[in-house]
């Protein structure tokens, strides 16, 4: 939705202007950024529109017209309290995939929802040359003396998931809220227990090492044989028997237990100060005003006092008016710092890059760019790929769309029209469900998948099991945006169909009956998860941030082409989040503090998991793979993503592997080089003949020729 308000120029008089001074003119809206439109506010002001994310407003509720099919993987009993459409890529999916016994990371803690307990760990961060890891361990666990008969997800939102364990006579409920420095379980009619993990023993409680013994109170300091100190809070107070293996209540309890690791000398006092207020969920709010987005986390709480949460490095750079707290936790992706308050506001600058580079092609090189375009004017995606494979075919379709857009930008409109006509013949069959591997609507989980993807979990990179949807559909959305912008008839016929793919990856509302909200985006970490319905010991993962950025860039362009402010601004916000986290956690710069040496010397992360960072990819360990997969595809938005600070630091490592780089990956190293030395990159590009299937020679030259 849009709000319109007036910036009265007289306001500046209050702050700075005298009676006889002329106040400065407020900044005009930058149309190139696609933000809320400006207008004439009348005398003394300018109208500014602010778009608000309306979580109660779906983009559409129309059922996709693809063939329908049930999914071969049925949701486990732990999801039985939730109705389809179901989450598929959420942070907590390990709780409900496979045996449900793999860990998640709720930042800062690693958690496992086991049959008889909620396992908790905050393992040390281990930095090696090609990885940053944390051990898969259990330090403590919250449970009950009664045997649980089962556990389930009772609710989830964009910032949390709630698990419930049932036993005869009562329940144990755990609201797992991202960024929580305490792990909380609430008991109704059960006898709570705190159990030591494997290889861990309780050596003292409140400084007393004699056991077994009985303690009563609302705060217990627990010393472990691994050197850790934890604090257990009880609301109301509780009596516990303890020995080296557990602390347990004799009587049924009605209340909450909270466990927190004490990470440093001042942390215990800070934890004591905030222990009485418990987060139980949260939501995300977002607004866009001109070229700035405000993203707010609003937590739901119980109890009294100021909520304590922990902020990751990318939060710390963008928090507005936050009240800090004297507590920190180390994680794989940097040090978390304490924040006091029940809401956060994060401010993100929005990219102003639109359809083309913000600069025209260099006069010195324009003729060569046009010559390359003419040479590639006959490019036609291979039908045995473009009509079958949603990833490699999508890349080729987007490559054709990029050629059409470049032709338009260099004022070759006839050629652009020729290329767009060919583009329709490639994209339309997918949207009509008439290609060789048609999309189907999965009625079990709720989403658009490929026919072959449902037939085999390994087909299409696991696409049928919800891997990589934003990667795949981003290419289709870019092609659709190029067509919708230039062809009103195509837009009228296919605009609603394209929204089926948009809603699959970026539906904003739980009121859409066909798609889960924001399938892949982890709003707390600020980036997407590519892994779908597959459990992994290290949690969720994502490899190619640049393909995630491509998805949200394409969404933004499509919104402009469809004149749909919601699609456009959702794209802009997701683009800002993904770019910021990519530059924080995947791109390594000289001033970066997230990763220590020797891992820092690699200059990039290949795959980031919930609990580790790898310098490698799913398809090989070659360094050029790692660098290239964080850059493709090369489009105008690459300028917002591929930072000069990153390449300036990483270029020596990239340059060292460039001479022996496997084709076609060297082309991306050339593209990177252009950000710091465009003349050298231009010369290198003349010798580069092998190109990625999603990259045309024209697009590579256009990129270099439009560098500042």
């Amino acid at each position: 939705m849009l709000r319109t308000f007036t910036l009265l120029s007289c306001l500046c008089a209050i702050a700075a202007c005298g009676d006889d001074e002329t106040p400065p003119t407020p900044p005009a809206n930058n149309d190139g950024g696609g933000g809320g439109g400006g207008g004439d506010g009348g005398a003394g002001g300018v109208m500014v529109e602010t778009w608000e994310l309306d979580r109660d407003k779906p983009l559409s509720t129309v059922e996709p017209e693809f063939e329908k099919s049930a999914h071969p993987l049925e949701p486990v009993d732990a999801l039985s309290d939730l109705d389809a459409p179901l989450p598929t890529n959420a942070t907590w999916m390990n709780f409900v995939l496979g045996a449900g016994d793999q860990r998640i990371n709720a930042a800062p803690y690693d958690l496992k929802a086991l049959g008889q307990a909620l396992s908790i760990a905050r393992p040390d961060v281990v930095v090696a040359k090609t990885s940053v890891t944390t051990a898969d361990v259990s330090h403590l666990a919250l449970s009950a003396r009664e045997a649980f008969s089962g556990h389930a997800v009772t609710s989830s939102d964009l910032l949390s998931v709630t698990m419930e364990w049932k036993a005869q006579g009562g329940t144990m409920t755990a609201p797992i809220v991202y960024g929580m420095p305490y792990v909380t379980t609430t008991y109704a009619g059960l006898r709570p227990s705190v159990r030591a993990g494997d290889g861990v023993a309780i050596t003292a409680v409140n400084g007393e090492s004699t056991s077994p013994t009985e303690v009563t109170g609302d705060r217990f300091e627990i010393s472990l044989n691994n050197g850790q100190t934890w604090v257990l809070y009880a609301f109301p107070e509780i009596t516990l028997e303890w020995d080296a293996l557990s602390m347990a209540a004799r009587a049924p309890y009605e209340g909450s237990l909270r466990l927190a690791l004490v990470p440093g000398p001042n942390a215990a006092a800070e934890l004591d100060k905030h222990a009485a207020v418990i987060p139980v969920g949260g939501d995300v709010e977002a607004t866009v005003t001109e070229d700035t987005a405000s993203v707010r986390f609003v937590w739901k709480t119980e109890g009294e006092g100021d909520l304590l949460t922990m902020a990751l490095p990318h939060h710390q750079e963008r928090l507005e008016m936050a009240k800090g707290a004297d507590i920190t936790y180390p994680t794989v992706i940097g040090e978390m710092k304490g924040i006091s308050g029940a809401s956060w506001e994060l401010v993100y600058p929005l990219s102003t890059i639109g359809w083309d580079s913000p600069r025209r092609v260099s006069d010195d090189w324009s003729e060569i760019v046009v010559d390359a375009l003419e040479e590639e004017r006959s490019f036609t995606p291979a039908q045995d790929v473009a009509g079958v494979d949603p990833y490699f075919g999508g890349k080729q379709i987007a490559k054709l769309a990029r050629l059409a857009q470049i032709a338009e930008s260099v004022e070759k409109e006839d050629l652009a029209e020729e290329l767009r006509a060919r583009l329709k013949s490639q994209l339309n069959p997918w949207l009509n469900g008439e290609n060789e591997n048609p999309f189907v609507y999965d009625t079990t989980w709720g989403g658009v998948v490929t026919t072959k993807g449902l037939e085999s979990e390994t087909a299409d990179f696991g696409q049928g099991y919800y891997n990589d949807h934003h990667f795949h559909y981003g290419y289709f959305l870019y092609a659709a945006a190029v067509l919708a912008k230039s062809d009103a008839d195509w837009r009228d016929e296919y605009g609603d169909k394209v929204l089926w793919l948009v809603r699959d990856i970026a539906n904003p509302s739980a009121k859409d009956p066909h798609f889960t909200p924001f399938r892949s985006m982890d709003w707390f970490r600020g980036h997407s998860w590519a892994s779908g319905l597959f459990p992994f010991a290290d949690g969720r993962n994502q490899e190619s941030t640049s393909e995630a950025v491509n998805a949200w860039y394409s969404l933004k362009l499509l919104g402009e082409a469809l004149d749909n402010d919601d699609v456009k601004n959702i794209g802009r916000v997701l683009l800002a989040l993904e770019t910021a986290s990519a530059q924080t956690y995947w791109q390594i710069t000289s001033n970066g503090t997230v990763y220590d040496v020797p891992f820092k010397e690699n200059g990039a992360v290949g795959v980031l998991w919930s609990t580790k960072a790898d310098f490698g990819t799913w398809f090989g360990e070659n360094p050029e793979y790692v660098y290239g997969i964080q850059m493709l595809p090369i489009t105008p938005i690459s300028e917002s993503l591929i930072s000069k600070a990153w390449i300036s630091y990483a270029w020596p490592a990239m340059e060292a592997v460039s001479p022996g780089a496997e084709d076609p990956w060297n082309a991306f190293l050339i593209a990177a080089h252009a950000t710091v030395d465009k003349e050298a990159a231009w010369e290198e590009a003349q010798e580069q003949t092998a190109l990625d299937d999603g990259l045309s020679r024209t697009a590579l030259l256009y990129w270099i020729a439009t560098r500042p």
Side-chain angles (χ1 to χ4, degrees), residues 129 582-583 586-592 595 598-606 615 623-624 626-628 630-631 641-659 666 668-677:
K129 177 60 178 174
Q583 291 176 341
W586 276 262
Q587 299 178 13
I588 301 176
T589 65
S590 61
N591 295 327
Y595 304 110
F599 187 82
K600 181 177 180 178
E601 295 164 353
N602 295 312
V605 171
F615 185 69
E624 65 267 27
V626 175
Y627 302 130
Q630 303 305 333
M631 299 182 206
L641 175 66
I642 303 175
S643 71
K644 190 171 183 178
W646 173 36
I647 303 304
S648 295
Y649 176 72
W651 179 247
M654 295 181 182
E655 185 177 29
V657 303
S658 180
N666 194 52
F668 296 110
L669 300 182
I670 293 171
H673 198 190
T675 66
V676 293
D677 189 343

Side-chain angles (χ1 to χ4, degrees), residues 69-89:
S69 177
H71 202 284
L73 180 66
E74 286 286 337
V76 298
D77 289 344
L79 283 170
S80 60
D81 287 351
L82 305 185
D83 296 323
L86 296 168
T88 56
N89 297 58

